[in-house]
Amino acid sequence: MSFLPLWANQNTMFSFQYIPYLFILLAIPFFIALYFYVLKWKKKTIKKIGDERLVKELIKNYSSQKFALKFTITIAAFALCVVALANLRSNKGTQKVNRNGIDVMIALDVSKSMLAQDVQPNRLVRAKQILNKLIDKLSNDRIGIVVFAGKAYLQMPLTADHSAAKMFLSTANTDVVPTQGTVISEALKMCYSSFNTKEKKYKSVVLISDGEDHDEEATKIAAQMATEGVMINTIGIGNTVGATLVDPITNETKKDNQGNTVISKLNEEVLKEIAQKGNGVYQLFTSTDVVVNRLEQELSTMDKRTVTEDSLVNYKTYFQWFLGLAFILLIIELFITEKKSSTQKKYIKKNKSFNPSIAFGLLPIAYCLLPLATLAQTENELNKKAAEAYKKGEYETAANFYKKAAENKPKNSTAQYNLGNALYKKTNVDEAVTAYDNALANTTDKNLKSKSFYNKGVVLQNAKNLQGCVDAYKNALKLNPNDEDARQNLQKALQQLKEKQKQEKENKKKNKPKEDQNKKEKEKPKDEEEKNNQPKPQPSKISKQDAEEKIKALQQQEKNLQDKLKKINVASPKKPEKDW
């Protein structure tokens, strides 16, 4: 599910942009009642004038039918103006677009060894350049990102939004994973869990690393993934000679715990073995274009699936047609005389049938409604400009246009939804979530609600708010149980939440001994006070010779214990811990 702008319910062909204005039509019954009141008033007036037969003779050319016709045309024109004000429109821009593509998970090594400068400016910068160009080549494919060092983390779930993929790739650095090392097996597991496990093809992994600290499990996992239809391509960054690392804290050459200078070397053999087991190819980085073109060729050989998705929504408005028809009806009404047809031409020639006061009395209705219809057109223009800016990747501009549209109509749920998408692209997490919440509060459309919950979940997941994103995905699935993307992302979020809770428990256990120690130190004064309150021991009756022998025996036991501890320490020296 991608972050595409949405202006209204896409399930309906026609819709009104400003439905509340339709309530103005409730004035029509009042006008009808007024019409019958006028007819009654005319009859009473005729009786008051004098002889009824004489009066009827005087008004024999008057046509009550034409009077009713003029009234009907006026009411019809009024109704058309109200409909124009509500702005009837159709979603002409919504269409189903078919694309052929695959799912590609990018596994990027962000351990500190990737800061080695045997490849200029360093390994990590070059790796990100390769991946940026690769993303541009995979225009029809869904892309996800996993970053790893001593542990693997899902940086971005599979999505067709390539601009978002580039944004998350740009934020990847050595600080995003606190545990150092290069555990490739965990990265491969995370990539596999991100795919749709029901499919046996259309899946590929691009692993880019220096291959240090390889665990044997990685090749086994690569072979298992190959049996599930996953192609694994690997890229080696660095060289086998190796390079020193600069400690970012001290800005000096990094040394291990024994004082030796750290040399980080490319482990080509393991990357070649993973590619071989994963039915892919291994490439040593030489040139960005060469590596990307070779990867594109390999991925193009895979079977591709057809995916159907909605294109950008664009609306065609019809308010001008209603206004034009209303204006024509008002003009026709001006030239309809209330005289009977036998004398119609005569009265027209004498200009007695044309009543300017009535004509110009009706025109202000249209003129009053025109500014409101223009307001509808202005908002439509704002949405159109915002959608164009969004499509070009100008998210700052798009967000400003959507904000103006939302300010004009705060309860416009589609404007709030679009604003949330634009703010998300600007990485304004809190504002994006607020916009999605506003969209949810002002709509009853299940489709729009489901999309709002899903996009809110993605934003919260990327912001590491795991509990919030789990709730959002659950709500999205309640509204649309067939949303496979929401289902997969929910599973990943639950897994991440479980790992986080496990890590918090481990940290709590580590901190518990310190708390116990502090508690004991607080209790020490109480123990000493109790000892002082206890009765003093009586002088020992043991002889001096026996006391000296006991002291010698205790000293010998302590010596034996110290010798034993020294032997243990020599037999099992501590291994230096690797933090690069």
Side-chain angles (χ1 to χ4, degrees):
M1 191 177 292
S2 59
F3 287 76
L4 293 176
L6 180 69
W7 294 4
N9 185 357
Q10 300 179 28
N11 295 328
T12 57
M13 185 62 184
F14 292 96
S15 63
F16 286 102
Q17 187 175 5
Y18 303 106
I19 293 176
Y21 291 144
L22 294 176
F23 287 106
I24 299 175
L25 294 174
L26 294 176
I28 291 178
F30 170 76
F31 293 144
I32 293 173
L34 184 62
Y35 168 76
F36 286 107
Y37 173 78
V38 170
L39 291 180
K40 190 176 180 181
W41 172 80
K42 281 185 176 184
K43 288 180 180 180
K44 287 183 178 180
T45 305
I46 290 172
K47 291 178 179 179
K48 288 180 181 180
I49 290 175
D51 186 9
E52 189 174 346
R53 286 180 298 174
L54 180 60
V55 173
K56 285 184 178 180
E57 183 66 23
L58 292 172
I59 61 170
K60 63 181 180 179
N61 291 327
Y62 169 76
S63 174
S64 59
Q65 290 82 4
K66 287 188 176 182
F67 178 75
L69 177 61
K70 286 170 65 72
F71 173 78
T72 304
I73 291 175
T74 305
I75 290 296
F78 173 79
L80 287 170
C81 289
V82 173
V83 173
L85 183 61
N87 193 25
L88 182 68
R89 59 187 183 173
S90 64
N91 50 353
K92 68 168 186 177
T94 302
Q95 57 183 354
K96 296 294 182 181
V97 177
N98 294 328
R99 61 175 180 82
N100 295 322
I102 58 175
D103 290 341
V104 180
M105 286 300 300
I106 294 170
L108 175 62
D109 185 352
V110 292
S111 59
K112 290 183 179 177
S113 62
M114 290 290 285
L115 298 177
Q117 298 179 1
D118 48 359
V119 175
Q120 292 295 327
N122 62 50
R123 297 173 183 175
L124 184 58
V125 171
R126 282 295 184 185
K128 290 163 76 170
Q129 288 176 357
I130 292 170
L131 296 176
N132 268 308
K133 284 201 171 185
L134 180 62
I135 290 171
D136 290 333
K137 297 280 187 180
L138 307 177
S139 56
N140 291 326
D141 303 322
R142 292 201 307 170
I143 296 172
I145 300 175
V146 168
V147 293
F148 69 96
K151 285 189 175 182
Y153 295 92
L154 181 66
Q155 184 81 346
M156 187 188 76
L158 283 166
T159 178
D161 192 342
H162 289 189
S163 57
K166 285 188 172 184
M167 180 184 69
F168 283 108
L169 186 63
S170 65
T171 61
N173 55 55
T174 56
D175 296 325
V176 298
V177 181
T179 307
Q180 287 301 308
T182 310
V183 186
I184 296 176
S185 60
E186 281 200 23
L188 293 176
K189 286 179 182 177
M190 185 67 71
C191 288
Y192 178 70
S193 65
S194 299
F195 290 123
N196 183 356
T197 54
K198 295 178 182 178
E199 295 177 340
K200 296 294 182 181
K201 48 186 177 179
Y202 319 122
K203 300 179 287 188
S204 178
V205 173
V206 176
L207 172 67
I208 185 163
S209 171
D210 54 23
E212 280 199 331
D213 283 1
H214 166 57
D215 53 333
E216 295 180 359
E217 192 179 359
T219 53
K220 295 178 182 178
I221 293 171
Q224 291 174 3
M225 290 173 67
T227 61
E228 296 292 326
V230 181
M231 174 193 282
I232 303 175
N233 296 291
T234 59
I235 302 170
I237 296 285
N239 58 54
T240 54
V241 177
T244 58
L245 298 174
V246 176
D247 193 324
I249 299 175
T250 62
N251 206 25
E252 296 179 355
T253 303
K254 192 167 186 61
K255 298 182 183 296
D256 59 22
N257 290 346
Q258 295 178 344
N260 301 319
T261 301
V262 173
I263 303 293
S264 176
K265 299 179 181 179
L266 169 65
N267 188 349
E268 275 194 292
E269 295 303 319
V270 63
L271 295 173
K272 286 179 180 178
E273 190 176 355
I274 291 172
Q276 183 183 3
K277 296 287 186 183
N279 296 329
V281 296
Y282 164 76
Q283 293 185 80
L284 173 64
F285 172 77
T286 53
S287 165
T288 301
D289 291 330
V290 171
V291 172
V292 171
N293 290 336
R294 178 73 187 283
L295 272 175
E296 185 186 14
Q297 290 175 4
E298 285 297 317
L299 295 175
S300 65
T301 61
M302 297 180 63
D303 291 336
K304 293 178 173 57
R305 64 176 176 179
T306 302
V307 179
T308 303
E309 59 184 15
D310 291 334
S311 69
L312 189 69
V313 178
N314 190 13
Y315 284 96
K316 180 179 180 181
T317 58
Y318 300 96
F319 78 94
Q320 62 273 19
W321 295 101
F322 291 97
L323 275 181
L325 185 57
F327 187 74
I328 290 171
L329 288 176
L330 289 173
I331 295 297
I332 291 172
E333 190 274 338
L334 293 179
F335 287 96
I336 294 177
T337 177
E338 295 182 12
K339 306 300 180 180
K340 290 182 179 178
S341 57
S342 61
T343 57
Q344 183 175 354
K345 291 181 180 179
K346 181 180 177 181
Y347 278 93
I348 290 175
K349 287 180 181 179
K350 291 182 178 180
N351 293 326
K352 292 182 180 179
S353 62
F354 184 77
N355 191 339
S357 62
I358 298 175
F360 290 101
L362 292 172
L363 281 176
I365 298 175
Y367 291 139
C368 290
L369 292 172
L370 274 172
L372 296 175
T374 305
L375 177 63
Q377 178 67 1
T378 303
E379 186 168 346
N380 194 45
E381 287 296 326
L382 284 173
N383 286 327
K384 189 175 180 181
K385 289 179 181 178
E388 289 173 357
Y390 189 98
K391 196 172 182 180
K392 292 177 183 177
E394 300 170 357
Y395 303 120
E396 180 77 31
T397 305
N400 290 335
F401 281 128
Y402 283 135
K403 277 183 180 178
K404 289 180 181 178
E407 287 171 0
N408 291 340
K409 198 73 176 176
K411 292 188 178 181
N412 188 338
S413 57
T414 52
Q416 296 288 354
Y417 174 86
N418 290 336
L419 176 61
N421 292 348
L423 291 169
Y424 160 71
K425 292 301 182 66
K426 286 176 57 187
T427 66
N428 290 1
V429 175
D430 294 336
E431 292 183 26
V433 171
T434 301
Y436 289 133
D437 287 338
N438 290 337
L440 290 166
N442 293 299
T443 184
T444 56
D445 177 18
K446 287 187 177 180
N447 184 36
L448 180 57
K449 275 194 169 186
S450 175
K451 289 184 177 183
S452 298
F453 274 123
Y454 176 85
N455 287 2
K456 179 182 176 182
V458 173
V459 173
L460 292 173
Q461 188 171 13
N462 292 326
K464 308 301 181 186
N465 186 346
L466 298 179
Q467 187 58 57
C469 79
V470 166
D471 295 338
Y473 287 141
K474 285 181 179 178
N475 287 326
L477 283 170
K478 286 179 183 177
L479 294 165
N480 183 11
N482 297 322
D483 190 344
E484 193 61 32
D485 288 337
R487 193 180 307 281
Q488 290 183 24
N489 286 357
L490 175 59
Q491 292 175 354
K492 295 162 197 167
L494 288 170
Q495 183 180 355
Q496 290 176 342
L497 184 61
K498 187 177 180 181
E499 290 177 358
K500 182 182 178 182
Q501 291 172 346
K502 184 179 179 182
Q503 185 68 35
E504 289 175 351
K505 286 182 180 179
E506 290 177 358
N507 293 337
K508 195 173 181 180
K509 287 181 181 179
K510 290 178 182 178
N511 295 331
K512 193 172 181 181
K514 293 181 180 179
E515 293 175 0
D516 293 342
Q517 182 67 27
N518 293 334
K519 191 175 180 181
K520 287 180 180 179
E521 289 178 358
K522 289 180 181 179
E523 291 176 353
K524 273 184 180 180
K526 292 181 180 181
D527 294 340
E528 290 176 0
E529 188 176 339
E530 288 176 1
K531 287 180 181 179
N532 292 333
N533 293 332
Q534 289 178 359
K536 295 180 179 180
Q538 298 295 325
S540 175
K541 296 180 180 180
I542 190 172
S543 64
K544 185 178 180 180
Q545 185 177 357
D546 291 339
E548 289 176 354
E549 289 178 358
K550 286 184 179 291
I551 290 171
K552 286 181 181 180
L554 290 171
Q555 287 175 346
Q556 186 62 38
Q557 287 179 3
E558 184 178 356
K559 185 180 179 183
N560 293 339
L561 180 61
Q562 291 294 336
D563 292 340
K564 188 176 180 181
L565 290 173
K566 285 180 181 179
K567 288 179 182 179
I568 293 172
N569 291 333
V570 171
S572 58
K574 291 183 179 178
K575 294 182 180 179
E577 294 182 358
K578 180 179 181 300
D579 63 344
W580 64 90

